[in-house]
Amino acid sequence: DALEDRIRALIQANPELAGVVIDLEGVNFIDSQGSATLDDILVLCDQADVTLRLARMKPGVRVVLDREGFIARLGSDHIHGNVHGAVEVQSG
C-alpha cells in the first residue's frame, strides 16, 4: 500500500509526469497479493496517462507476475534490465 500511495502522490504532485519506473532489484519474492498491488498501480498509472515500467526484475518474480497475467497487461516491452534503460526508453 505504501508504494501505491507514493505513486499516487507523485502523480498528483506532477501533472505532467509521463512515466514511473519501479526498480525491483530488492524484490526476491512476490505472491498473488504483490501482483495485485502492482496491477492496482498499473490501473492508477493508466488512468493518469502515465507509463509504468519495471526494472531489474528477478526471474522468479517474473514467473509469478507472468502466471498472474500481470506481464501481459503491462506489456513485456515495459520491463527493462536496468533503471537507466527504462528511463532512456521513456524519455524517447
Side-chain angles (χ1 to χ4, degrees):
D1 290 341
L3 178 60
E4 186 177 351
D5 291 344
R6 176 73 176 127
I7 291 174
R8 181 176 283 107
L10 283 171
I11 290 170
Q12 290 173 347
N14 301 287
E16 295 180 18
L17 185 67
V20 171
V21 177
I22 299 176
D23 182 357
L24 296 176
E25 181 188 31
V27 178
N28 295 314
F29 170 81
I30 195 165
D31 58 13
S32 58
Q33 184 177 5
S35 176
T37 298
L38 284 176
D39 205 52
D40 290 344
I41 291 169
L42 178 58
V43 169
L44 174 67
C45 288
D46 284 347
Q47 290 173 344
D49 199 27
V50 171
T51 302
L52 177 63
R53 297 185 181 279
L54 303 179
R56 301 198 293 180
M57 182 186 307
K58 294 185 175 150
V61 171
R62 185 175 181 130
V63 166
V64 173
L65 294 179
D66 196 30
R67 183 180 65 228
E68 295 287 323
F70 177 78
I71 301 294
R73 290 186 294 281
L74 175 67
S76 60
D77 59 329
H78 287 78
I79 298 172
H80 306 274
N82 59 62
V83 173
H84 180 75
V87 171
E88 278 192 344
V89 168
Q90 183 61 40
S91 299

